[in-house]
Amino acid sequence: MKNGSTNKDAASRTTRRGLFVLGGQLVVAGVLGWRMRQLQIQQSDEFLLLAEENRINIRLIPPARGLMFDRNGKPVAENKQNYRIVMIREQARDPEAILRKLANIVPLSEQRIARVLKDVSQRPGFVPVSVIDHLTWEQISQVSANAPVLPGILPEVGLSRHYPQRSDFAHVVGYVGPVSDYDLANTDDTDPLLQIPRFQIGKSGIEKQMEKDLRGSAGTSRIEINSLGRVMRELSRVDGVEGADVQLTVDMDLQNYTNRRLFGESAAVSVIDTKTGDVMALASSPSFDPNSFVLGISGSEYNQLNTNEYRPLYNKAVSGAYPPGSTFKMVVALAALEAGELDPSETFWCPGHLQLGRRRFHCWRRGGHGHVNLHDSLKFSCDVFYYETARRVGIDRITEMARKLGIGVRHDLPMPAISEGLTPTRAWKQAIHDEQWLVGDTFNSGIGQGFVLASPLQLGVMAARIASGKVIVPRLVRSIDSKPVSLAEPEDLGISQSSLNLVRQGMYAVSNERRGTANRTRIVAEGMKMAGKTGTSQVRQITAAERAAGVTRNKDLPWNRRDHALFVAFAPYDNPRYAISVVVEHGGGGSTAAAPIARDVMLQALYGGTPPLSAYPKDQHQLIEEQREAMPKPGEEMRIVTQSDRA
Amino acid sequence: MTWMSEGTRPAPTGISKILHINWSLAILLTAVACAGFLMLYSVADGNIGVWARPQMIRFGIGIVAMFIIGLIPLHFWRGVSPFAYISALLLLVAVEFVGVTGMGAQRWIDLGFMRLQPSEVMKIALVMALALYYDWLDPKKVSHPVWVAAPLILTIIPVLLVLKQPDLGTAILLGGGAAVVMFLAGVSLWYFITAGVAGVGTVAAVIYSRGTEYQLLKDYQYRRIETFLDPSIDPLGAGYHITQSKIALGSGGLNGRGYMEGTQSRLNFLPEKHTDFIFTTLAEEFGFIGSSALLVLYALIIIFCMSSMLGNRNRFGALLTGGITATFFFFFAVNMAMVMGLAPVVGVPLPLVSYGGSAMLVLLGAFGLVQSAHVHRPRSS
């Protein structure tokens, strides 16, 4: 028996404390309720938004890349359906066994199987992993037919770039390739498309320079995803904008012909419309197949291209810079005429050299040309005449004229690495070489040697400007998205007609008068006569030792030390339509290596196809026929044969 | 018990006891359990067989057990208490050796027809043992250090065993339930004040020791605490669950997104959506109206139990009811606080709603004891 009052005390204390505990519990419940109110009523909008963000993912739909056409609407870059195979691991169950089965139908190397197995093991089971790209329709149909025994294997169709003209347009159009980490690190482009793995972007040529136009903009698909990223359903879709089609000024047939005509020589050709500046053909040879870059070029194939001494990856037509040699003589002549330093009837005496102090500057013709006036100086390409003329005019006025004619200025074509060439001035030499300009430098510049450098494109522009007397600006793009690129009426060059006519007549003589340096490669068809100028530029000085050893001729030298062969021309002489420049690297003489190419390409351009034999001098008909026989057939891929291969 | 016999009338006997069952409590428990069935059906994407049906069967068994336990005289349960505690303790030790770990940290023993979690049993057994202890102890001695040490030891042994599993949530529930029983029994407030001050002091020491030579916790443990305090520090790691849980709750708004329409749970952004985080789905789909209604139901259960306790002059019955109520209270309060980002994620299910056999059966068994205390309480004349 316990003390009753103590028990009563204890009981009432328990009651008090019980009430206190209940009160405390209700207070905590109240706090929980307050928190619910805070989350669900006060902040509910914010959380609802977060829930939507969780749930909805925006997936990009890549737009179709803009196509490229030649000036007549023939395709030069198109999108081809790309059949590929993807695998979904969770459906395949045993990926390796499935891949082995698949290998019986499509070519799968051991390395590829290993790579795919690695890929699938690293990604969630529902993500499709690319197994193989660029399959044929037959292969895809076979895979589809075997679908029941290939669970988890899905054929897919996407778009991939294709260049039907292969190597012929490689340097103009360029190529696309999958966006790389390097690309992403070096661009400020924030287009989300670039984040798509293996999205194709322009890597070179117009593909690269006009990327913005060609790419288009992404469509979006709003999809509901779960916490693992699995797509549950599509909520809505906004279509993207396809890339703009680009029409080039280039004539596909002429471009094809030009490439074939170069026979894989290391050479470059530009053909420019003398009225509009349209680039009709722009060839750099040898070339490469851009499709192999799209498919992913192999290391050995790339190395072969990269180390080839003919440099097939290099766009010689716009990036190359060559001493223009005698093709620069029109610049010097025009500078002198415009400056009033040269009378057209004045004659110079050419003994085969010009003495300057202790140094002797040779004319290409050892015996000299005797009495030479302006007309003959171009026709015979007399060097002594231009040493003297250049001395009179001075380098600065020569440079001024060169730039007026398009040499030493950058022509803005949508291409990377456009060469500016080089037109030297006194200040330039002082700044770069920290040396004074010497009269000898002026002599050398007067015959397009020494410091002067020009790209084949610039030489073509020069020929076009001399032919037209207008500031012809080359252009490569005719229309974007079916909207023609506006064409301004070219301005006048600001060179007097009389000076231009004297130089044009000299060029006419080169091709059409007996003993003209390019007389052999004349065009005889009436109304198609060509006016041109040969050039042979030295890459080196023939050393005294070599001279002593009797090595004075090109053929005795290794290929890469031989002279460059050049030729510039326009035609028809009385109503010019096209200007052309040809540079054959280390080709020897301009008249023998470059001029025949220029004539053939020019005739092809003028006739818009194969010219009649009657356009050629009678005695050459058989030769031309043989040459046509020997030419690669259209569409035939040319193997790159280098000088060392031939040796 | 004789001290109470004065001025009371006899407790009901036989079949008439059924009339004295606390029916309001039974209805409230059934209502909460029904909310649970609804949610389990929803999180299983409308598949009743996954979680909802097994849960219903267990509830059926449990509620019958509750009535049977409630009709058995309280003195029987008083007599069983020491054995309940000892067997629960033995099971806790046994589970260390033969138990299976699963669903996080809790360990169970496979009995064939069900998986028994000894830690669940211990929640009730501890309360029974402490109620018995204070019923036996002379009320004058409750605050004597020696007599305070004994219940502390009874509590600390299972708490340590459970922490070792490690199951922080159950440890909190055990400690909290025990503390409330001791408080109700009349242990001097000074003990609680001292314990509180010591706790705050420890926390302060832990926080202020950071970066000093005497740093008390490892750096990663500090980072865990930081992540708990501000889950946005690590939204994809440790804070992910709590962030997603808050998003689910908040996006429910006032009216909810509709039954079976909650995107957070539908699309698997919520972890443990059928167990610890089931409340977030309810809150997402039924909004503030639904979540506060559930809270009100829980509060009513607490009020009904506590009023039964306050009217019970049987010391064992009162302390048992108070302790079980407190354990139940800690259950839902910790769970809700956890999913609402007010407490760390310690792994406590929502009582009667979350999927789980042991917890459901043990809880209903415990409410059976509350019923027994209620039915057999001494009555004033």
Side-chain angles (χ1 to χ4, degrees), chain A residues 17 35 40 52 54 227, chain B residues 183 187 244 267-268 291 340:
Chain A
R17 290 199 173 181
R35 175 68 169 171
Q40 299 194 279
E52 289 295 298
N54 255 344
S227 63
Chain B
F183 180 75
V187 175
Q244 294 299 343
L267 303 171
N268 279 326
S291 56
M340 290 193 287

Side-chain angles (χ1 to χ4, degrees), chain B residues 102-306:
Chain B
M103 295 198 306
Q106 290 196 4
R107 286 175 170 242
W108 69 66
I109 294 172
D110 205 333
L111 295 182
F113 64 94
M114 69 170 291
R115 287 163 171 178
L116 180 72
Q117 289 168 12
S119 58
E120 296 291 337
V121 180
M122 183 47 100
K123 282 171 196 158
I124 305 310
L126 179 62
V127 170
M128 288 169 84
L130 292 177
L132 173 66
Y133 173 82
Y134 283 109
D135 187 32
W136 164 79
L137 189 68
D138 183 344
K140 279 189 287 189
K141 295 179 185 163
V142 287
S143 295
H144 190 283
V146 174
W147 302 108
V148 171
L152 277 181
I153 290 165
L154 286 180
T155 308
I156 284 169
I157 294 171
V159 164
L160 288 178
L161 282 168
V162 166
L163 273 178
K164 193 174 173 297
Q165 287 190 356
D167 183 354
L168 183 58
T170 303
I172 290 170
L173 262 47
L174 283 172
V180 169
V181 175
M182 290 171 78
F183 180 75
L184 291 173
V187 175
S188 168
L189 282 176
W190 289 111
Y191 285 101
F192 295 97
I193 292 166
T194 311
V197 170
V200 171
T202 310
V203 169
V206 165
I207 291 171
Y208 288 106
S209 73
R210 187 179 191 186
T212 68
E213 256 177 88
Y214 311 100
Q215 184 166 317
L216 290 169
L217 295 179
K218 299 270 192 300
D219 281 339
Y220 77 87
Q221 291 172 315
Y222 280 108
R223 280 196 293 277
R224 252 188 225 171
I225 294 171
E226 278 179 347
T227 308
F228 158 60
L229 293 175
D230 184 4
S232 60
I233 293 173
D234 187 12
L236 291 177
Y240 179 78
H241 290 166
I242 203 64
T243 306
Q244 294 299 343
S245 169
K246 278 161 73 179
I247 289 174
L249 271 151
S251 64
L254 178 64
N255 299 315
R257 309 189 73 179
Y259 187 51
M260 315 261 299
E261 298 287 328
T263 56
Q264 285 288 100
S265 40
R266 273 301 82 66
L267 303 171
N268 279 326
F269 287 100
L270 296 176
E272 307 279 341
K273 56 182 181 179
H274 62 297
T275 57
D276 292 2
F277 282 83
I278 194 161
F279 179 67
T280 49
T281 304
L282 183 140
E284 184 185 21
E285 299 189 348
F286 295 110
F288 179 71
I289 291 172
S291 56
S292 57
L294 184 69
L295 185 64
V296 167
L297 285 178
Y298 279 131
L300 285 174
I301 290 173
I302 297 291
I303 290 168
F304 275 90
C305 288
M306 286 308 281

Side-chain angles (χ1 to χ4, degrees), chain A residues 544-566:
Chain A
E546 283 170 332
R547 208 182 291 273
V551 181
T552 51
R553 288 181 314 156
N554 258 299
K555 284 196 170 157
D556 303 326
L557 288 166
W559 174 76
N560 60 7
R561 293 186 57 201
R562 291 180 200 163
D563 297 339
H564 293 314
L566 297 96

Side-chain angles (χ1 to χ4, degrees), chain A residues 268-585:
Chain A
V269 174
S270 75
V271 181
I272 296 170
D273 187 307
T274 56
K275 292 193 171 69
T276 59
D278 281 2
V279 176
M280 304 295 291
L282 193 65
S284 176
S285 168
S287 186
F288 59 94
D289 186 354
N291 292 307
S292 57
F293 282 82
V294 179
L295 301 177
I297 191 164
S298 71
S300 63
E301 201 183 337
Y302 183 78
N303 265 337
Q304 230 177 337
L305 288 173
N306 208 22
T307 55
N308 190 299
E309 65 180 327
Y310 278 11
R311 294 178 299 167
L313 296 177
Y314 183 66
N315 190 351
K316 296 171 184 126
V318 300
S319 306
Y322 305 91
S326 302
T327 59
F328 197 65
K329 284 173 181 165
M330 282 84 83
V331 174
V332 180
L334 282 170
L337 288 168
E338 287 297 287
E341 301 282 0
L342 182 68
D343 187 315
S345 59
E346 192 179 354
T347 58
F348 290 68
W349 172 252
C350 169
H353 64 264
L354 185 71
Q355 198 74 28
L356 179 73
R358 290 173 52 202
R359 205 169 153 198
R360 177 171 283 199
F361 287 81
H362 289 278
C363 185
W364 68 271
R365 190 182 165 105
R366 290 286 144 209
H369 292 98
H371 286 287
V372 181
N373 64 5
L374 171 64
H375 186 82
D376 290 344
S377 76
L378 284 169
K379 176 174 162 189
F380 300 137
S381 198
C382 174
D383 290 339
V384 169
F385 182 93
Y386 285 95
Y387 294 146
E388 187 55 42
T389 310
R391 172 155 65 184
R392 285 193 195 172
V393 194
I395 187 61
D396 291 340
R397 283 192 283 193
I398 293 174
T399 287
E400 195 191 327
M401 180 55 71
R403 290 185 181 163
K404 203 177 249 186
L405 292 172
I407 294 173
V409 290
R410 192 176 175 282
H411 297 298
D412 193 22
L413 292 185
M415 286 188 165
I418 293 180
S419 170
E420 203 173 284
L422 179 59
T423 41
T425 60
R426 289 166 199 279
W428 170 84
K429 192 183 177 194
Q430 194 69 52
I432 300 295
H433 292 278
D434 198 18
E435 279 171 25
Q436 232 187 332
W437 185 266
L438 304 173
V439 181
D441 294 329
T442 308
F443 280 16
N444 278 331
S445 302
I447 61 162
Q449 292 280 163
F451 298 115
V452 189
L453 293 173
S455 70
L457 172 72
Q458 288 172 330
L459 294 174
V461 170
M462 176 186 78
R465 289 186 182 178
I466 291 171
S468 66
K470 300 271 169 49
V471 185
I472 297 300
V473 179
R475 64 167 198 165
L476 207 46
V477 176
R478 225 178 162 207
S479 71
I480 301 174
D481 203 14
S482 309
K483 288 186 277 291
V485 172
S486 63
L487 188 62
E489 185 62 32
E491 286 173 43
D492 207 77
L493 263 180
I495 300 174
S496 66
Q497 272 311 311
S498 60
S499 303
L500 283 169
N501 277 334
L502 286 166
V503 169
R504 288 173 191 153
Q505 282 158 14
M507 289 173 74
Y508 179 83
V510 169
S511 288
N512 298 293
E513 287 181 11
R514 238 170 55 78
R515 292 176 61 216
T517 53
N519 180 241
R520 192 176 153 71
T521 51
R522 65 192 179 275
I523 293 172
V524 297
E526 266 321 305
M528 297 281 187
K529 296 272 174 71
M530 181 164 78
K533 180 73 195 79
T534 56
T536 305
S537 66
Q538 284 181 8
V539 216
R540 54 59 175 134
Q541 296 275 319
I542 293 179
T543 62
E546 283 170 332
R547 208 182 291 273
V551 181
T552 51
R553 288 181 314 156
N554 258 299
K555 284 196 170 157
D556 303 326
L557 288 166
W559 174 76
N560 60 7
R561 293 186 57 201
R562 291 180 200 163
D563 297 339
H564 293 314
L566 297 96
F567 192 73
V568 298
F570 62 88
Y573 170 71
D574 34 21
N575 181 22
R577 280 170 64 198
Y578 303 116
I580 188 169
S581 69
V582 176
V583 175
V584 181
E585 280 190 331

